[in-house]
Amino acid sequence: MRKILVTGGAGFIGSAVVRHIIENTQDEVINLDKLTYAGNLESLADVADSARYHFVKLDICDRAGLDEVFAQYKPDAVMHLAAESHVDRSISGPAEFINTNIVGTYTLLEAARHYWNGLESSAKAAFRFHHISTDEVYGDLHGTDDLFTETTPYAPSSPYSASKASSDHLVRAWQRTYGLPTLVTSCSNNYGPYHFPEKLIPLVILNALEGKPLPIYGKGDQIRDWLYVEDHARALYEVVTRGEVGETYNIGGHNEKTNLEVVLAVCELLDELAPEASSFQPPASRLITHVADRPGHDVRYAIDAAKIERELGWTPKETFESGIRKTVQWYLANQEWVNNVKSGEYQNWLNAHYQ
Ligand code: NAD
């Protein structure tokens, strides 16, 4: 039984990690989250009453606050997911990405190192700092059939991926220089329940249900490797509990799809599962609208996940077809979560609750 400090546990992937740990293990979770627009405690309603779940509202840039959390909870491991994560937002406002993703990771590393230095030798050896990163740090695979491996050189294209690459380098340096027992994972595009509706798949589902245009960048020929979020959460738990210190593990779903293929798959499922939806007349695909491409847009990402499969025995349980069906079904069945996120009611509640 471990105590795991999860940063960003109110976000899309972080909440899947927290739910996975509470529902499938005996471990205790301390969810540390600043609750930016992307953090949503409603995503944790299923586990929030567990005696093994704790929530701390904190910015990872707050060193004094982090020191208190480490001293109070004495975690055995940190799973670091807190980040600014939306590429489009990083283009219009990079400052928050530099603050949270780089300065925040540095601050968390220093707080973890200070705490770790004070542990007795067996706890010190067992401690883990797991940094959750993205395949976007490797850049663009345009014009080749190659896959990203753990040794692919870094070539980030956007302010988001550059900030994540920078934080990856800090984490590895803290292991090499100070001996902090770190691990890094780089994952492909995630999709699934509780995804904030600014990202492609939830945006398409929700816009289609309201009869609004389904925006696709350029021709929609950008290729991403899609992984169901619960498969990612399971992989992360395998890495933090069984991974080799100092190693990097790539995590992916073997599901290379163009953005257009993804949107068409969602449209077909909506035609099948929600033909009666009031605002649109099937086919939903008639709502597809091509918009000007994102600046610096990478054309293709694809992950070679052979190492985590070979060394930790992890493989995805969902195919793209099964995962996307579950995702569309979840959004159709959870309109209340969606409405709260979209109406700003959740933000209002948050302000009232924490002031
Ligand atoms: P998200 O944007 O949904 O959630 C981020 C969470 O971090 C939110 O709960 C937010 O409130 C919190 N947060 C932001 N700034 C903070 C700060 N300064 N202090 C404390 N908490 C803060 O992101 P996500 O999609 O769940 O991604 C989680 C991690 O996984 C990120 O590090 C991201 O880079 C990485 N990742 C994401 C994907 C993907 O497809 N979404 C793929 C690979 C890797």
Side-chain angles (χ1 to χ4, degrees):
M1 191 181 136
R2 301 172 189 81
K3 267 194 222 170
I4 304 181
L5 176 65
V6 177
T7 72
F12 168 49
I13 301 172
S15 67
V17 168
V18 174
R19 291 191 303 272
H20 174 79
I21 297 174
I22 297 295
E23 286 169 356
N24 297 289
T25 78
Q26 289 308 307
D27 295 347
E28 205 170 323
V29 172
I30 304 100
N31 171 15
L32 186 157
D33 199 298
K34 179 182 171 182
L35 296 180
T36 67
Y37 77 95
N40 188 344
L41 293 179
E42 288 185 17
S43 305
L44 294 157
D46 290 352
V47 295
D49 290 338
S50 166
R52 291 182 289 114
Y53 171 79
H54 315 276
F55 174 67
V56 180
K57 183 177 186 293
L58 194 73
D59 188 333
I60 54 165
C61 297
D62 178 347
R63 174 63 197 269
L66 289 175
D67 285 344
E68 274 177 37
V69 170
F70 276 103
Q72 180 183 346
Y73 290 101
K74 301 183 175 37
D76 304 300
V78 174
M79 296 175 83
H80 175 36
L81 295 102
E84 288 293 334
S85 70
H86 190 34
V87 176
D88 289 342
R89 285 180 187 254
S90 82
I91 294 170
S92 55
E96 246 350 272
F97 289 72
I98 306 304
N99 272 339
T100 286
N101 299 1
I102 305 178
V103 179
T105 299
Y106 155 75
T107 310
L108 183 66
L109 278 167
E110 279 295 82
R113 183 168 77 92
H114 174 77
Y115 162 74
W116 174 74
N117 272 330
L119 293 174
E120 51 85 17
S121 59
S122 64
K124 206 171 172 182
F127 184 78
R128 297 289 181 268
F129 185 106
H130 176 185
H131 177 61
I132 285 77
S133 192
T134 166
D135 61 356
E136 301 196 25
V137 296
Y138 298 123
D140 196 350
L141 283 171
H142 189 37
T144 85
D145 290 333
D146 291 353
L147 302 173
F148 296 133
T149 71
E150 288 78 1
T151 56
T152 300
Y154 276 27
S157 307
S158 69
Y160 163 65
S161 54
S163 69
K164 290 296 291 187
S166 178
S167 61
D168 294 2
H169 290 316
L170 292 176
V171 171
R172 293 195 181 100
W174 259 241
Q175 196 264 324
R176 172 98 188 215
T177 302
Y178 302 112
L180 187 70
T182 68
L183 303 127
V184 176
T185 48
S186 301
C187 188
S188 58
N189 271 37
N190 283 218
Y191 68 99
Y194 302 102
H195 208 177
F196 196 77
E198 66 186 354
K199 303 278 172 84
L200 180 68
I201 290 176
L203 183 79
V204 166
I205 298 171
L206 302 181
N207 276 15
L209 290 176
E210 291 182 16
K212 291 184 182 163
L214 312 182
I216 294 195
Y217 280 130
K219 293 184 199 145
D221 52 2
Q222 306 84 1
I223 296 171
R224 301 290 180 262
D225 174 2
W226 292 90
L227 181 68
Y228 192 63
V229 67
E230 290 174 14
D231 279 326
H232 188 195
R234 208 165 34 83
L236 294 178
Y237 188 75
E238 292 300 318
V239 170
V240 76
T241 54
R242 294 170 50 228
E244 186 95 15
V245 166
E247 291 296 316
T248 297
Y249 297 88
N250 281 358
I251 306 171
H254 308 292
N255 284 313
E256 282 187 52
K257 306 267 176 215
T258 66
N259 283 350
L260 186 59
E261 285 172 331
V262 168
V263 173
L264 287 171
V266 170
C267 287
E268 273 175 33
L269 282 164
L270 286 170
D271 292 344
E272 176 196 330
L273 299 170
E276 75 295 353
S278 55
S279 329
F280 85 91
Q281 296 293 318
S285 58
R286 75 184 164 76
L287 298 168
I288 290 175
T289 309
H290 294 270
V291 297
D293 207 353
R294 168 194 281 165
H297 209 169
D298 290 332
V299 178
R300 176 172 167 259
Y301 303 139
I303 281 274
D304 178 353
K307 178 174 171 180
I308 187 171
E309 291 173 5
R310 189 178 59 245
E311 295 187 8
L312 300 180
W314 171 89
T315 51
K317 284 187 180 162
E318 302 294 343
T319 62
F320 182 74
E321 288 66 32
S322 64
I324 197 72
R325 179 172 284 273
K326 282 187 178 180
T327 304
V328 172
Q329 285 169 330
W330 186 88
Y331 278 91
L332 292 174
N334 287 276
Q335 284 299 313
E336 198 183 326
W337 181 91
V338 169
N339 292 338
N340 289 348
V341 170
K342 283 187 19 171
S343 68
E345 207 177 290
Y346 177 72
Q347 285 302 332
N348 295 340
W349 172 82
L350 204 63
N351 294 339
H353 194 75
Y354 283 107
Q355 267 165 18

